[in-house]
Amino acid sequence: MSDRVRIAIIGSGPAGLSAAARAAALGLSHVLLEKTDHLSDTIYKYQKGKHVMATPSQLVLRADLPFAAGKREVILEAWNHGATKIAVRYRSEVTAISGEKGDFTLTLKDGATIAADTVVLAIGTQGNPNLMRCEGADSAHVQYQLDDPGEYVDEHITVIGSGDAGIENALGLAADPAQGNVVTILNRSADFARAKAANVKLLNEAAASGRLTIRTETTPVAVRPGELMLDTRDGQQTIRCDRVIARMGSAAPRAFIEACGIEFTSKDREAFPRLSSTFETTRPGIYVIGALAGYPLIKHCMNQGHDVVEFINGNTTLKPADEPILAKKFEKFRARRSVDEWLALLKRDVMILNELSPLQLREFMLDSEMRLFAAGDVLFRRNDPGSSLFAIVQGEVLVEVDRNDPAITVPIAQGSIVGEVGLISGRRRGATVRAGGDVIAIEVSRTAALKLMASVPAAARAVTRISVERQLLQMFGSGLNSADITEILDTSEIRTVRAGEAILTEGEDGDDIYVIRLGSMIVEKNVGGKPVFLSYLPAGSYVGEMALIAGGKRTATVRAAIKSEVIRLDGKAFRRLLDAKPRLLEKARADMAARQDLNAFIEGRKGSFSGVVDMYSQTAKFLVDNGIGEATDVLLIDENLCVGCDNCEKACADSHDGLSRLDRETGRTYAHLHVPTSCRHCENPACMADCPPNAIHRGPDGEVVIDDSCIGCGNCQRNCPYGVIRMDSVPPKKPGLLGWLLFGRGPGPGEPSQEWRHAHDVPGIEHPKKAIKCDMCSGIDGGPACVRACPTGAAIRVAPEEFLSVSRLETETES
């Protein structure tokens, strides 16, 4: 090995190995420095037998080394064979890089030095994993690597992580039932946004077969001997756990990279080095490729290794391998720009893309579509299904804010986004959006948008800020515009609140305002030493204005009914806004007056009907504990009025092809109030979290509906926390009354289709299944059939905010 090389490559992963192979093929002097005693440490540490994917499939491979989807061992063997022509130096960890382009000195841990004209950093991020941050995180049974799933037998193992590594570890541990492992995988969100679709599919299949358990919207609270305490949507739970495998991603070794004089795109821990389109960093002569550049897929990394050596060798005409794909996306637009010019424009003009590196932006555009709309064209309509995001590249769009008057619109300018409500909540479109002129927009699928937000903190902040701004403007109204609430937004904070955790406590000081972004809250007041349930607050409500406007201490306790998100608004900033906007102050005072009246009612009557108040409070607590905290519409049955005729079930079946959506007898009862097994139409439906055909939507009245595109995968049934979805075979269509009377075709009136079909089943023929749940009789005149069919009025459907309020009690006691 010579004293000086043209290219020093640090790291022998797919990117570095490919770079070294290209240098060898071009006859360039080089050295590949690897700190371990083997090539490609990340893949070397993959679990044994792991199947390595070669995505994206449409991208060609340019590397001088072979790579195709296959077993870890086969790929490593091929690379080891191909590396025989490469100058590799093992056990060579670089601790410092000094000098300048054309004359760098690399200092190794053993004290040796290497001179190089240029340096390529391909060190990846796996050596700097994200660590657990909870009680017991440093326990001996917490590990951040899984080498061989076959080593573990008869253990309760929890895998933490929503990316490919976590999913593959969980699948490997659960692959052989003979090992006897009980495997659980945790994901703090509802979606596996970082993972490949194929891996998510395999994970859901494993869960369906009972080989492992998926827990979404769950985070670890404490690691203790033999158990793991979790924070779930419904509060804290403890599960048995002998071992924790944490695969929560990793971050760049920032201290070393910044010591080399390289700048990052932002101060975020997850940020990446700032790069040119040829992979050169802010320090001339030093290049970054691979996962450290923000492109973790193996095929991308290998192409980068090939390309970076070509660039260093003076090839100025080489274009990235994805160039033809991106060029095709842009060719339909009149503006004849190159791919690089389009990408520069998108990065400059679209807010959520400002902080992306050129490599990240290219990957993002591979997953997105550019669309052209003429003036008046509809991007999407109110109540349409859909959860994609639209980024406005050129022009402006108009949002119809009044469903009765399409002429009343609000403009959304170039650079902003629309569709964020569907993205965050999974609900149907909340408004119709049209092009205000010629518009170019990027349509971003839900998966790509969530991946962007998960991997680029600046993009997540931009989407969050826009969604918060629009929620505040919609909620407070009063003629406010974006400029009016700039200070409020700048000082706001989004907090996750555990089920049962209080955001306001009666008797404490404080003047901050809290907006409920996701989930729901209950309001309690201490009466005679007992907490009395005052009201229920769904997402979109706000609290805290009483102490701000009237002064004094908090007059009630507000706590989360389920795991929720709130926006904390600085009290002083909000006070200044109230002083500047009389209409907003008037609205806030009206809201405060209603709450003061409720407090006065409780204080004035607590002696005369304390037993009634206590019974109401206990009933309300029972309902919240049984999922009403998430509901937007719930079926309740008054046991004092119910005569057990089952008309409600029969009417439901007759309205839905013989398949009843409710089970009157199951469910829980408190006093005279019964909550049967029937869909609650949750504010944030867990059933929507992983529906492959996107068959679950919200209707115009808030109902959660499963459409005919259901493929019967069962994911929604597994994800529903209340057991109100079942998989049932599709019954025959009921014939007309005349056909039944004259020819005896099919089940007759009141006769369940399922029972008739089962009586006429042909042995050996399996009937297709679909997910069955209450749809609130969507599209049926007269509303829910179960309520209409009840002869005594025992069955009622209510929104929690209307039912769970002492104001209802006030009306009842005075009537």
Side-chain angles (χ1 to χ4, degrees):
M1 187 179 300
S2 63
D3 294 333
R4 172 178 293 277
V5 293
R6 177 83 179 275
I7 308 173
I9 303 157
I10 306 174
S12 70
L17 198 56
S18 179
R22 190 59 187 161
L26 293 175
L28 304 177
S29 61
H30 67 279
V31 61
L32 177 61
L33 302 171
E34 169 55 51
K35 67 179 181 180
T36 69
D37 62 358
H38 51 262
L39 296 175
S40 195
D41 188 54
T42 297
I43 296 177
Y44 184 88
K45 287 181 177 177
Y46 279 173
Q47 63 196 49
K48 290 183 179 179
K50 168 181 161 56
H51 179 77
V52 181
M53 299 181 185
T55 54
S57 58
Q58 73 270 31
L59 193 66
V60 299
L61 180 70
R62 284 181 171 171
D64 295 275
L65 292 175
F67 174 63
K71 297 291 184 184
R72 154 196 176 271
E73 290 79 5
V74 174
I75 292 168
L76 288 175
E77 182 181 359
W79 286 353
N80 283 327
H81 177 74
T84 55
K85 297 179 181 179
I86 297 173
V88 185
R89 178 167 173 168
Y90 294 104
R91 299 183 186 87
S92 299
E93 182 176 355
V94 178
T95 58
I97 302 173
S98 59
E100 58 186 22
K101 186 174 185 177
D103 188 21
F104 287 113
T105 298
L106 285 66
T107 302
L108 306 185
K109 191 174 184 179
D110 61 7
T113 60
I114 295 175
D117 295 343
T118 55
V119 178
V120 176
L121 288 177
I123 56 178
T125 63
Q126 291 302 309
N128 193 30
N130 295 327
L131 304 180
M132 292 180 65
R133 298 181 181 180
C134 67
E135 177 189 331
D138 56 353
S139 300
H141 58 286
V142 174
Q143 62 191 63
Y144 294 89
Q145 179 67 37
L146 175 66
D147 295 328
D148 184 2
E151 293 179 2
Y152 307 101
V153 178
D154 294 331
E155 291 191 15
H156 284 69
I157 304 174
T158 300
V159 179
I160 303 175
S162 60
D164 290 310
I167 291 176
E168 289 161 0
N169 283 180
L171 291 172
L173 290 164
D176 185 359
Q179 289 179 239
N181 292 319
V182 178
V183 181
T184 301
I185 184 168
L186 306 186
N187 182 5
R188 67 180 178 182
S189 67
D191 302 270
F192 288 89
R194 293 175 181 264
K196 300 182 185 73
N199 271 338
V200 177
K201 181 175 183 291
L202 291 172
L203 182 69
N204 286 315
E205 289 173 353
S209 68
R211 288 188 286 123
L212 54 76
T213 300
I214 302 172
R215 285 179 172 264
T216 57
E217 298 180 83
T218 302
T219 53
V221 175
V223 182
R224 293 169 182 160
E227 65 181 30
L228 181 63
M229 182 179 291
L230 306 174
D231 185 14
T232 75
R233 293 186 314 157
D234 303 311
Q236 290 191 345
Q237 298 177 12
T238 299
I239 63 173
R240 180 178 167 184
C241 181
D242 304 314
R243 185 180 307 277
V244 174
I245 299 175
R247 304 305 304 269
M248 303 178 298
S250 55
R254 190 160 186 150
F256 170 73
I257 295 168
E258 288 184 324
C260 295
I262 298 170
E263 297 176 7
F264 279 71
T265 54
S266 73
K267 294 182 179 180
D268 293 306
R269 183 176 186 270
E270 297 86 357
F272 295 96
R274 195 179 301 279
L275 304 178
S276 73
S277 59
T278 59
F279 312 108
E280 194 167 18
T281 68
T282 52
R283 181 149 180 213
I286 300 182
Y287 298 78
V288 165
I289 56 174
L292 183 58
Y295 244 35
L297 296 179
I298 293 175
K299 191 183 288 186
H300 283 307
C301 293
M302 296 185 74
N303 282 347
Q304 290 171 32
H306 171 281
D307 292 356
V308 74
V309 173
E310 287 286 336
F311 294 141
I312 291 172
N313 199 40
N315 187 341
T316 59
T317 61
L318 180 67
K319 296 294 183 182
D322 58 19
E323 187 84 1
I325 304 172
L326 294 178
K328 190 171 182 61
K329 289 178 180 284
F330 298 130
E331 69 181 6
K332 58 188 172 185
F333 300 101
R334 288 190 296 271
R336 297 302 178 186
R337 298 184 178 94
S338 68
V339 170
D340 286 342
E341 289 171 337
W342 270 114
L343 295 177
L345 181 146
L346 297 178
K347 177 179 171 63
R348 183 193 69 207
D349 292 347
V350 179
M351 182 188 306
I352 62 173
L353 307 180
N354 291 162
E355 295 297 326
L356 270 66
S357 72
L359 302 181
Q360 290 174 311
L361 189 53
R362 298 184 82 97
E363 183 182 20
F364 171 80
M365 287 307 302
L366 288 176
D367 295 332
S368 307
E369 291 298 327
M370 291 274 284
R371 302 198 182 281
L372 178 64
F373 299 91
D377 285 353
V378 174
L379 278 71
F380 52 80
R381 296 185 184 277
R382 185 189 303 273
N383 294 323
D384 277 352
S387 54
S388 57
L389 191 70
F390 287 83
I392 313 305
V393 179
Q394 290 183 3
E396 72 171 13
V397 298
L398 304 175
V399 181
E400 296 178 6
V401 293
D402 188 334
R403 68 178 65 199
N404 299 315
D405 187 354
I408 301 177
T409 61
V410 171
I412 304 295
Q414 173 181 312
S416 192
I417 58 174
V418 289
E420 78 287 345
V421 173
L423 172 70
I424 293 171
S425 69
R427 290 191 170 199
R428 289 192 175 218
R429 302 297 191 182
T432 297
V433 177
R434 299 180 182 274
D438 288 343
V439 168
I440 297 176
I442 307 171
E443 183 171 7
V444 189
S445 69
R446 175 178 172 80
T447 301
L450 292 175
K451 181 180 178 181
L452 173 69
M453 295 172 66
S455 56
V456 183
R461 285 195 297 270
V463 173
T464 300
R465 184 180 177 93
I466 290 170
S467 65
V468 168
E469 174 186 299
R470 291 176 185 168
Q471 182 175 1
L472 296 183
L473 291 174
Q474 181 180 15
M475 183 170 53
F476 292 126
S478 309
L480 298 178
N481 58 42
S482 298
D484 295 328
I485 62 172
T486 297
E487 183 188 8
I488 297 290
L489 286 171
D490 290 343
T491 56
S492 67
E493 173 195 10
I494 294 181
R495 281 182 47 194
T496 298
V497 188
R498 297 191 306 272
E501 181 183 350
I503 57 171
L504 302 179
T505 303
E506 184 177 358
E508 288 187 349
D509 293 321
D511 59 2
D512 290 339
I513 304 292
Y514 289 87
V515 175
I516 305 168
R517 187 169 187 246
L518 296 172
S520 59
M521 299 278 156
I522 56 175
V523 184
E524 300 172 335
K525 188 172 182 61
N526 191 293
V527 177
K530 293 183 178 180
V532 172
F533 191 112
L534 294 186
S535 60
Y536 165 91
L537 301 173
S541 308
Y542 75 99
V543 292
E545 80 290 345
M546 292 178 68
L548 178 65
I549 296 174
K553 298 182 182 296
R554 301 293 192 186
T555 59
T557 295
V558 180
R559 68 177 72 255
I562 58 170
K563 188 176 182 180
S564 304
E565 271 189 11
V566 297
I567 309 166
R568 185 192 65 80
L569 306 180
D570 180 74
K572 295 180 178 57
F574 201 82
R575 178 75 254 184
R576 287 190 286 272
L577 180 62
L578 291 175
D579 292 341
K581 299 293 178 179
R583 286 176 58 191
L584 177 60
L585 179 59
E586 182 181 346
K587 179 184 186 313
R589 280 178 171 159
D591 293 339
M592 181 183 73
R595 288 170 182 164
Q596 286 175 325
D597 290 345
L598 186 57
N599 284 342
F601 167 74
I602 288 292
E603 291 294 335
R605 300 295 184 89
K606 65 183 180 183
S608 60
F609 58 90
S610 59
V612 177
V613 172
D614 185 59
M615 173 62 78
Y616 169 79
S617 183
Q618 293 299 316
T619 303
K621 182 179 184 302
F622 160 76
L623 292 174
V624 170
D625 289 346
N626 281 275
I628 312 306
E630 286 200 87
T632 62
D633 178 278
V634 65
L635 176 65
L636 301 176
I637 295 178
D638 187 335
E639 293 286 292
N640 289 339
L641 299 175
C642 180
V643 295
C645 64
D646 279 337
N647 281 3
C648 52
E649 283 197 44
K650 293 174 183 176
C652 181
D654 279 340
S655 300
H656 297 93
D657 296 322
L659 294 177
S660 176
R661 263 74 167 156
L662 75 93
D663 188 335
R664 180 185 62 80
E665 294 186 351
T666 59
R668 298 185 63 186
T669 303
Y670 178 82
H672 64 93
L673 208 56
H674 180 62
V675 184
T677 301
S678 180
C679 182
R680 285 111 160 101
H681 303 277
C682 297
E683 178 68 27
N684 294 285
C687 57
M688 285 186 181
D690 183 32
C691 178
N694 197 25
I696 308 178
H697 313 287
R698 271 202 187 275
D701 296 319
E703 68 273 19
V704 178
V705 181
I706 302 176
D707 66 31
D708 291 337
S709 65
C710 172
I711 59 176
C713 68
N715 288 354
C716 56
Q717 181 188 39
R718 289 186 292 275
N719 289 335
C720 174
Y722 306 113
V724 300
I725 301 177
R726 72 177 190 275
M727 305 304 298
D728 215 332
S729 52
V730 182
K733 187 175 182 180
K734 276 196 172 186
L737 180 61
L738 189 61
W740 174 72
L741 285 171
L742 297 179
F743 307 106
R745 292 175 180 164
E751 183 182 356
S753 294
Q754 286 292 76
E755 292 180 10
W756 179 88
R757 211 277 311 284
H758 290 322
H760 296 80
D761 269 346
V762 178
I765 297 180
E766 184 176 349
H767 297 276
K769 292 187 175 183
K770 65 181 295 186
I772 303 298
K773 63 174 287 297
C774 165
D775 59 1
M776 281 172 53
C777 290
S778 177
I780 299 176
D781 292 338
C786 56
V787 175
R788 288 186 283 114
C790 182
T792 63
I796 59 172
R797 295 204 76 99
V798 294
E801 60 266 35
E802 296 172 358
F803 187 81
L804 298 179
S805 173
V806 174
S807 59
R808 176 184 173 93
L809 177 63
E810 178 180 5
T811 302
E812 291 174 350
T813 55
E814 293 181 349
S815 61

